[in-house]
Amino acid sequence: MTRRRWRITLLGALATLSAIYPITSLFVQTSWLGDAMFTIALVAALGLVARGLTRSRSLVVVVQVLVTAYVVLARHLDETFSYFLPTPTTLEEANSLGLQALETVQRYSAPAPLNSGVTFCLVVAVAVVAIAVDAMAATWRSPAAAGLPLLTAYLITAANGQSALALRYFVIPVLLWLIMLHTTARTQFGRWGTANAADESEIDEAAHDRDALRSFTAGALKLGALGVVFAVLVPAIVPHFPPRYLTEGLGRAGGGGGEGSVGFNDTLDLSRSLNNQDPSPVLTYTTTAFTRPPLRVLATSYYSRGQWSTVGTTGNRPDNPSPPPPPSQRRDYDLTVTNNTLAAPRIAAPYPVVAVAMEGTPWSIDPVTRDVRVDGPVSSYRVTYADFAPPPPQLRDSGTPDSPDITDDDLAIPDRSRDLIERWAAEVVEDADNPLDRAIRIQNHLRDTSIYTYSLDLGEPLRDAEGRLLEPIQNFYQTRRGYCVQFATAMIMMARAQGIPARMAIGYLPGQPSENSQYVVRNSDAHAWPELYFQGYGWLRFEPTPGARSGTPPPYAVLGADSGSTRGGRDVEETTSGRGSSASATTSTSATAAPVQQQQTLLDAIGSAFTLRNVVTFVAVLVGLLAAFVMPITAWLLRLRRRRAAVTQQELIEAEWLDLTSHLGDLGLTAPNGVTLRQLRERYVTDGHLDGEDATTMRRVTATLEKSRYDRPERTTPQEAFRLHHDIRSIRRKIGRTRAWQTRVRSFVWPEAGVSFWRGLPDRLFPRRR
């Protein structure tokens, strides 16, 4: 095993660690980093050992994959093992951890909470990157290709973080990658020389090789440094598109100046916008109304697998939008929007829209949801919307909903949670005998801050008795904790269970006042609320979220309610800590969500890796490796001691020759007694299947050995000893490839030099008296 193979392996491990370290900014904890560092070290160690055992590159990668997979599963799912072997239950639990991680990524924005599923998936991803980098850089000796998995690890953070990554996160992996290129290039360049040790110009040729190598190295470093500088400076000069998340959810603003656009994707996750600290406005508006309703962007009735989506709507859809209430029952107001950055095909406007004024951009109104859609980006527009408040007595007498506006999705309930939702709704509405009173009781129940807590931190998802992750509606019922999406979903499902059509509306709160009677809406104003259908009056907004910023419910949802106060609740910006009585009230539920963990530093992450379990595991693995490879380690130490003990070039050459004959003897080419050096050389050439250039290399080795033995000592140069070392390495590799793999394994695990040392140890420790 050569020194540079150790070096390139270490560089690959360090480059992998530096590339995955920025991922720590995506999660509130960094405790997973200790497991990641252990996994990277394990992959590097396996690569070193396997490359010493076999010349098959594919076999080296297979060993790394199998052993690393076993260790990762044993560390995270050891309770599912039977007789130290994984079982089908292990695969099921691994799949559950993967689903848990997927749900966490979809539900939260960065920094997201860390749980066992995320930790497991991060360690698996780190193992894949580490194996890919080690295989390309050390096994196949192609460090240039190793830049691809390193770039992939870097882009995971760059594409999902809240802000641009610091320059050091990019420079350090690139510098380590350049050093890997430099190290491998030196090794490959050294094989290009063709000078013969027997030539009189040997010293001049060696000096020429060194000069060429220095020139080649300097040019490569300059080219690499120029590429790094180019990659850093060009993005700062050339205009580029605003960043987008790779995972589903809300986009984000492109910069502090409000340029670019934001938009809602087909799968809705408001936590990204609610956590967004970007001060750039989404839009600015003025209105002729005294009160400001929420600005709706879209509405959807389709709920599947715990998510609201704008795709997949079923049922009959009308051809034309339903008409707004007649003018005698409403008041119309104008709202003028400027500096709009909401991405097409959506715009924000109060519901319902009566008229739209938009120059140069075609628009339409969805026949079911009455969302306004545009064919292209629009920076300013004006809408006229209707404001009406039906009297509660008329809503109570509205009767059974029956309208083409109602689709099958408006009454759908998840089968897995149906029993819970129906029981929950029945307990809340009690004896209410009309749709309005039922809706008000559900709304006021959810706004009760002595029962429910508003929090952007949902904690770690809970599991049922069978170990399966609970559905989000079940999880909310247990934890009594969530933000607007969870509260709106709960009201929609309970209303549907009571026969009231309901759907989800997504948009923005009215925003904050600014100069010139303007109002500014930002990403953090994102909001969700339910809309319930009442016959003869259409879709009406309710407000179950217990937050001061979400405002009070509409008048029809308050007047005539027999449950008293609507319990306005706490401000959205207040933290979950120090809640007083509301926090203590949630402890009465059957399960609670995990609190927000403090951000850990790198030193904390490194310290967490040195737990008793990790230390015992590391020591056990180390002792096992030492016990399994005590003979090759002993032989390597003996070779190292002989080389260091050599004072003259003759002694160094003799040590190299002894190492060659010992290794060839382990491969089955023993040196018979009484043969000359040249006879032994021909035996090695014949039985080792050396031909052409390899046979010439073998003869050059014996010629150098004869010269060092029989010529004057001062005529043996260091260049000849150096060339002899590389020739012997070439011969060992060539003859090793001609032996059976069983012979190669035996020669590595049970070398005669190590065996002889341990056999003779008792005699050296306790010499027999004559």
Side-chain angles (χ1 to χ4, degrees):
M1 196 174 298
T2 65
R3 182 181 61 180
R4 282 197 172 91
R5 190 66 68 90
W6 281 84
R7 185 183 304 168
I8 199 69
T9 302
L10 179 60
L11 287 172
L14 292 176
T16 303
L17 178 60
S18 64
I20 62 100
Y21 178 73
I23 300 178
T24 56
S25 64
L26 298 180
F27 299 94
V28 296
Q29 290 178 280
T30 58
S31 56
W32 64 273
L33 192 58
D35 286 342
M37 295 168 62
F38 176 84
T39 303
I40 294 172
L42 175 65
V43 170
L46 290 172
L48 287 171
V49 173
R51 283 187 289 271
L53 285 172
T54 178
R55 301 294 178 181
S56 174
R57 297 169 177 174
S58 301
L59 184 59
V60 172
V61 177
V62 170
V63 169
Q64 288 177 309
V65 171
L66 293 179
V67 177
T68 304
Y70 176 84
V71 172
V72 170
L73 292 175
R75 286 173 62 85
H76 294 269
L77 300 170
D78 55 342
E79 67 277 0
T80 64
F81 277 37
S82 177
Y83 298 102
F84 303 101
L85 293 176
T87 62
T89 306
T90 305
L91 299 180
E92 295 177 0
E93 287 299 318
N95 181 66
S96 298
L97 291 176
L99 294 176
Q100 181 182 8
L102 178 62
E103 182 178 1
T104 301
V105 171
Q106 292 179 342
R107 178 181 295 185
Y108 294 94
S109 60
L114 189 70
N115 51 45
S116 55
V118 172
T119 300
F120 176 75
C121 290
L122 284 175
V123 172
V124 171
V126 169
V128 172
V129 174
I131 292 174
V133 171
D134 186 79
M136 295 175 184
T139 304
W140 268 273
R141 297 188 179 184
S142 300
L148 294 177
L150 292 175
L151 179 63
T152 300
Y154 174 82
L155 289 179
I156 292 175
T157 309
N160 290 277
Q162 293 286 357
S163 59
L165 289 177
L167 185 61
R168 64 181 181 275
Y169 290 139
F170 172 77
V171 172
I172 294 177
V174 169
L175 288 179
L176 290 171
W177 178 65
L178 291 176
I179 295 174
M180 285 194 295
L181 287 175
H182 165 72
T183 303
T184 305
R186 286 181 62 91
T187 303
Q188 294 176 347
F189 187 86
R191 301 173 186 170
W192 295 353
T194 57
N196 193 313
D199 296 338
E200 295 183 359
S201 61
E202 175 69 26
I203 298 178
D204 294 335
E205 290 288 346
H208 175 74
D209 288 347
R210 288 194 301 272
D211 292 339
L213 180 58
R214 281 194 296 268
S215 177
F216 176 79
T217 302
L221 290 178
K222 290 178 181 178
L223 183 61
L226 181 62
V228 174
V229 172
F230 184 79
V232 172
L233 294 182
V234 168
I237 300 174
V238 179
H240 51 285
F241 294 103
R244 291 287 181 185
Y245 286 97
L246 293 181
T247 54
E248 296 174 336
L250 287 175
R252 57 184 177 182
E259 298 178 355
S261 62
V262 294
F264 292 90
N265 288 345
D266 287 338
T267 301
L268 312 175
D269 178 13
L270 295 187
S271 63
R272 297 188 186 277
S273 282
L274 293 173
N275 278 304
N276 197 332
Q277 302 301 317
D278 187 357
S280 303
V282 175
L283 58 87
T284 304
Y285 73 91
T286 59
T287 180
T288 59
F290 293 102
T291 60
R292 296 172 293 119
L295 307 181
R296 199 183 74 167
V297 176
L298 60 92
T300 179
S301 301
Y302 185 71
Y303 182 85
S304 176
R305 301 182 64 180
Q307 290 183 334
W308 293 99
S309 176
T310 60
V311 297
T313 302
T314 60
N316 298 324
R317 293 172 59 90
D319 296 331
N320 298 310
S322 58
S328 60
Q329 299 180 9
R330 72 175 197 247
R331 289 187 178 181
D332 293 346
Y333 298 100
D334 290 336
L335 183 136
T336 303
V337 174
T338 57
N339 301 322
N340 176 54
T341 61
L342 195 62
R346 309 188 189 280
I347 64 172
Y351 176 84
V353 173
V354 177
V356 180
M358 194 179 304
E359 296 182 0
T361 303
W363 58 272
S364 62
I365 296 181
D366 187 275
V368 174
T369 63
R370 295 195 64 87
D371 300 334
V372 180
R373 296 176 177 249
V374 293
D375 292 348
V378 55
S379 61
S380 61
Y381 56 90
R382 187 178 73 253
V383 297
T384 301
Y385 67 94
D387 181 21
F388 67 102
Q394 297 181 14
L395 290 177
R396 288 190 176 97
D397 297 334
S398 60
T400 303
D402 183 14
S403 170
D405 288 349
I406 302 174
T407 66
D408 295 339
D409 293 326
D410 295 322
L411 291 168
I413 299 175
D415 292 335
R416 183 178 170 187
S417 306
R418 180 179 297 276
D419 293 340
L420 169 64
I421 294 172
E422 291 178 348
R423 184 177 69 253
W424 190 9
E427 293 174 355
V428 172
V429 302
E430 296 179 341
D431 57 350
D433 58 357
N434 62 82
L436 178 62
D437 287 342
R438 292 170 184 169
I440 291 177
R441 290 192 180 185
I442 295 172
Q443 171 188 266
N444 292 347
H445 170 77
L446 293 171
R447 290 179 69 88
D448 191 342
T449 55
S450 66
I451 303 176
Y452 298 94
T453 301
Y454 185 99
S455 175
L456 294 177
D457 173 33
L458 303 183
E460 184 172 344
L462 305 179
R463 295 176 179 270
D464 58 18
E466 299 177 358
R468 298 179 302 173
L469 290 174
L470 296 179
E471 281 197 342
I473 188 70
Q474 297 173 330
N475 197 86
F476 176 72
Y477 178 81
Q478 295 287 339
T479 63
R480 309 293 171 125
R481 179 191 300 266
Y483 50 93
C484 56
V485 173
Q486 284 70 43
F487 285 95
T489 301
M491 182 169 184
I492 291 170
M493 293 305 166
M494 284 193 282
R496 291 178 177 182
Q498 291 294 312
I500 307 174
R503 66 188 184 187
M504 175 72 79
I506 301 290
Y508 295 98
L509 293 171
Q512 300 300 318
S514 181
E515 300 176 353
N516 301 324
S517 300
Q518 292 183 329
Y519 297 91
V520 177
V521 176
R522 307 182 190 279
N523 272 321
S524 56
D525 292 320
H527 189 50
W529 60 91
E531 291 181 349
L532 277 59
Y533 191 88
F534 288 82
Q535 185 66 24
Y537 298 93
W539 295 96
L540 301 180
R541 176 175 66 92
F542 285 77
E543 188 51 78
T545 303
R549 286 187 61 200
S550 62
T552 60
Y556 52 80
V558 178
L559 297 177
D562 56 2
S563 55
S565 172
T566 59
R567 307 177 191 269
R570 307 181 67 85
D571 191 274
V572 174
E573 295 180 347
E574 295 188 30
T575 61
T576 57
S577 61
R579 277 189 167 84
S581 61
S582 65
S584 61
T586 60
T587 59
S588 62
T589 58
S590 58
T592 58
V596 178
Q597 301 283 341
Q598 295 294 328
Q599 176 73 24
Q600 292 187 350
T601 63
L602 177 60
L603 294 179
D604 294 334
I606 296 175
S608 65
F610 292 95
T611 61
L612 179 60
R613 178 182 177 182
N614 289 350
V615 171
V616 171
T617 302
F618 178 77
V619 172
V621 172
L622 181 62
V623 171
L625 290 175
L626 291 176
F629 302 110
V630 61
M631 294 303 175
I633 293 175
T634 301
W636 175 73
L637 291 175
L638 290 174
R639 291 196 300 270
L640 185 63
R641 187 178 67 176
R642 282 195 298 266
R643 291 172 184 170
R644 292 183 175 178
V647 178
T648 64
Q649 298 300 320
Q650 287 77 11
E651 293 176 351
L652 181 60
I653 290 175
E654 290 291 344
E656 295 281 1
W657 174 254
L658 179 61
D659 291 342
L660 176 62
T661 56
S662 176
H663 180 70
L664 295 183
D666 294 332
L667 293 176
L669 300 180
T670 57
N673 296 326
V675 298
T676 64
L677 179 61
R678 298 192 176 186
Q679 289 174 335
L680 182 59
R681 177 191 66 193
E682 296 305 320
R683 171 179 170 80
Y684 287 154
V685 169
T686 302
D687 295 347
H689 306 286
L690 301 178
D691 53 5
E693 183 179 351
D694 298 314
T696 302
T697 301
M698 186 69 218
R699 295 187 178 93
R700 186 164 60 242
V701 167
T702 55
T704 303
L705 181 61
E706 289 177 340
K707 181 180 179 182
S708 69
R709 286 179 176 180
Y710 306 118
D711 204 350
R712 289 184 300 183
E714 64 273 11
R715 298 193 61 178
T716 301
T717 64
Q719 288 77 15
E720 291 175 330
F722 180 78
R723 182 57 58 85
L724 177 77
H725 173 75
H726 286 276
D727 286 343
I728 287 179
R729 285 177 51 195
S730 177
I731 293 171
R732 287 169 59 122
R733 287 196 298 267
K734 178 61 179 178
I735 295 181
R737 296 191 184 111
T738 64
R739 307 291 101 176
W741 68 268
Q742 299 91 335
T743 302
R744 295 200 301 271
V745 171
R746 185 174 62 250
S747 68
F748 178 83
V749 177
W750 204 253
E752 183 61 29
V755 174
S756 300
F757 173 83
W758 289 105
R759 285 177 178 172
L761 184 61
D763 293 337
R764 293 193 297 274
L765 294 177
F766 309 103
R768 299 177 182 178
R769 296 181 180 179
R770 295 183 177 277

